[in-house]
């Protein structure tokens, strides 16, 4: 049995946040190389956790997004009492997220004070939104003693399964040309989605330049994939709904570039070591940038942005519509400024602002 501190992290319920949380896991292992880190999260997060070498075990909590499920949380918490966790770090800010470590009787429980849940925590922290102006900084702060200076975030870096990658390439008949992965979905809502017609035009431009185009997304995003393939034709492989999250990791690690909305898959692509061309609309690349140096961000920074709304309150979605397929294609086709990184990138500083913001 390892001799380091035993830590239970209650992980976020969003894919992108779970990927960014790997910066915290890496920090915890830098502070204590023998730390034993377990992470509780939605069932989909368990295969993702398996790609993070810092984590001993991903633990599934099978509750729907927003569901209280008090009895289920209590049952799992009671089960965890024998695991000997010494500290819990609660990343989500909801009251229900703090219940599990309380039920598990973990002696030190750190999280941000919110939703009147401080009584569930032994170490409730005030969220300083100015100091902690990025999601990843908030996660890091919870792993450090109160008031400790924040280090530069270590970028997430997911393990790649080469055998699975090769099987996927064979199964879908991929890999005939340099591939560009398009991710047209964004679970948060349409105000984060570049218009599907723009993605289709981009696909057409890239195929004309000799690229293979893969469309990645969930089953719910099949209509987007179908539209892109129908409009752009041969050379486009619509994989929406046909891959698991961990398959996306392996495919993205193989792609030349990923073009993506501000979505969970954007963070997966960054953590897979792929070059990322990210398109931001109602949100801000200053709050949740892809944690990689190999990124190119399109963000118009209109007067109304970021509004952080799920749907455009003004009804025109200019923040996304006015980013043209030609501009994005130019980013994809531009020579890479930085060389491809292995899937364990070096420990580098994340820039305080995105490296390039196109206007
Ligand atoms: S209000 Fe502005 S930033 Fe928000 S979705 Fe509409 S165009 Fe985009």
């Amino acid at each position: 049995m390892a001799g380091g501190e035993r830590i239970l992290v209650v992980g976020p319920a969003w894919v992108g946040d779970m990927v960014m949380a790997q910066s915290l896991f890496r920090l915890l292992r830098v502070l204590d190389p023998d730390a034993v880190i377990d992470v509780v999260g939605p069932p989909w997060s368990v295969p993702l956790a398996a790609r993070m070498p810092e984590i001993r075990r991903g633990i599934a909590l099978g509750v729907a997004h927003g569901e209280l499920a008090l009895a289920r949380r209590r049952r799992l918490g009671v089960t965890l009492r024998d695991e000997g966790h010494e500290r819990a770090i609660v990343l989500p800010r909801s009251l229900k997220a703090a219940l599990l470590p309380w039920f598990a009787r973990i002696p030190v429980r750190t999280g941000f004070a919110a939703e009147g849940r401080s009584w569930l925590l032994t170490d409730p922290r005030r969220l300083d939104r100015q100091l902690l102006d990025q999601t990843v900084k908030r996660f890091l702060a919870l792993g450090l003693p109160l008031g400790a200076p924040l280090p530069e975030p270590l970028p997430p870096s997911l393990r790649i399964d080469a055998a699975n990658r090769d099987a996927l390439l064979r199964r879908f008949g991929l890999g005939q040309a340099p591939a560009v992965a398009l991710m047209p979905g964004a679970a948060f809502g349409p105000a984060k989605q570049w218009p599907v017609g723009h993605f289709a035009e981009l696909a057409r431009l890239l195929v004309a330049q000799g690229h293979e185009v893969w469309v990645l997304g969930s089953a719910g995003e099949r209509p987007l994939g179908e539209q892109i393939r129908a409009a752009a034709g041969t050379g486009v492989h619509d994989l929406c709904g046909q891959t698991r999250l961990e398959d996306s990791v392996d495919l993205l690690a193989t792609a030349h570039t990923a073009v993506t909305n501000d979505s969970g898959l954007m963070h997966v692509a960054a953590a897979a070591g792929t070059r990322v061309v990210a398109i931001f609309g109602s949100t801000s690349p200053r709050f949740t940038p892809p944690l990689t140096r190999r990124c190119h961000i399109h963000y118009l920074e209109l007067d109304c942005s970021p509004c952080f709304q799920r749907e455009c309150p003004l009804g025109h979605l200019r923040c996304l519509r006015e980013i043209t397929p030609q501009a994005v294609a130019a980013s994809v086709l531009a020579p890479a400024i930085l060389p491809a990184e292995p899937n364990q990138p070096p420990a580098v500083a994340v820039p305080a602002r995105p490296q390039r913001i196109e206007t």
Side-chain angles (χ1 to χ4, degrees):
M1 184 181 290
E5 187 183 15
R6 292 177 162 249
I7 304 170
L8 181 75
V9 178
V10 180
W14 296 91
V15 172
D17 288 359
M18 186 63 86
V19 173
M20 285 188 278
Q22 196 187 4
S23 289
L24 167 65
F25 311 144
R26 294 190 69 183
L27 173 65
L28 293 172
R29 290 293 292 270
V30 167
L31 297 173
D32 177 359
D34 295 324
V36 177
I37 303 170
D38 295 331
V39 178
V40 177
W44 56 254
S45 71
V46 174
L48 199 58
R51 300 302 186 93
M52 300 180 182
E54 304 80 15
I55 295 178
R56 179 185 69 163
R57 186 157 67 106
I59 301 167
L61 176 61
V63 300
H65 197 76
E67 186 187 2
L68 177 58
L70 193 62
R72 237 170 302 159
R73 289 177 201 274
R74 183 178 181 285
R75 242 188 339 264
L76 181 57
V78 169
T79 308
L80 291 173
R81 282 179 193 170
D82 295 335
E83 296 276 340
H85 294 114
E86 296 152 82
R87 175 163 53 132
I89 300 173
V90 185
L91 298 184
R93 292 194 297 126
S94 64
L95 183 141
K96 58 187 177 299
L99 286 167
L100 185 84
W102 185 78
F103 283 133
R105 296 181 182 158
I106 297 172
V108 178
R109 304 183 296 277
T110 300
F112 289 115
E115 293 195 358
R117 67 177 192 171
S118 293
W119 62 278
L120 291 169
L121 303 168
T122 62
D123 178 24
R125 304 276 181 91
R126 187 181 70 82
L127 174 56
D128 182 336
R129 292 175 191 275
Q130 276 198 321
L131 182 68
L132 304 177
D133 58 352
Q134 291 184 335
T135 299
V136 68
K137 292 182 187 174
R138 296 176 186 183
F139 292 168
L140 294 181
L142 292 177
L144 293 166
L146 185 63
L150 276 188
E152 292 292 343
L154 298 171
S157 173
L158 298 170
R159 217 166 10 208
I160 306 306
D161 180 339
N164 187 48
R165 175 202 60 202
D166 294 347
L168 289 164
L169 294 176
R170 278 196 303 275
R171 176 176 149 205
F172 294 118
L174 307 175
Q176 310 307 312
V180 178
L182 307 186
M183 284 97 88
F188 184 72
K192 283 173 85 172
Q193 293 180 4
W194 200 41
V196 64
H198 287 31
F199 269 108
E201 175 62 9
L202 173 66
R204 203 186 56 71
L205 294 169
L206 295 175
V207 169
Q209 291 293 323
H211 283 282
E212 197 171 84
V213 170
W214 307 341
V215 188
L216 297 179
S218 65
E221 286 150 3
R222 274 193 177 124
L224 300 175
E226 283 164 11
Q227 280 184 66
I228 294 168
R229 189 178 56 181
T234 316
V236 176
H237 300 260
D238 171 21
L239 306 178
C240 289
Q242 299 189 66
T243 53
R244 304 166 299 172
L245 184 56
E246 58 269 37
D247 295 336
S248 300
V249 174
D250 295 328
L251 286 173
L252 283 166
T254 312
H256 165 280
T257 300
V259 180
T260 175
N261 297 318
D262 172 20
S263 67
L265 284 181
M266 175 184 78
H267 295 285
V268 171
T274 317
R275 182 169 169 254
V276 175
V277 173
I279 303 166
F280 279 74
S282 67
T283 52
S284 167
R286 297 194 179 91
F287 184 54
T288 51
L291 300 178
T292 172
R293 294 179 301 164
R294 302 181 68 229
C295 68
H296 186 119
I297 290 171
H298 289 261
Y299 180 51
L300 295 182
E301 207 163 17
L302 303 179
D303 288 346
C304 55
S305 61
C307 68
F308 293 108
Q309 298 297 310
R310 291 175 191 269
E311 296 188 22
C312 178
L314 303 177
H316 53 55
L317 202 64
R318 276 184 48 219
C319 60
L320 288 168
R321 286 189 185 286
E322 293 186 359
I323 297 171
T324 66
Q326 289 72 20
V328 176
S331 306
V332 175
L333 299 171
I337 298 168
L338 294 166
E341 294 175 355
N343 60 336
Q344 300 296 335
V348 293
V350 175
R353 293 167 67 95
Q355 292 189 315
R356 296 167 66 184
I357 296 181
E358 294 200 350
T359 55

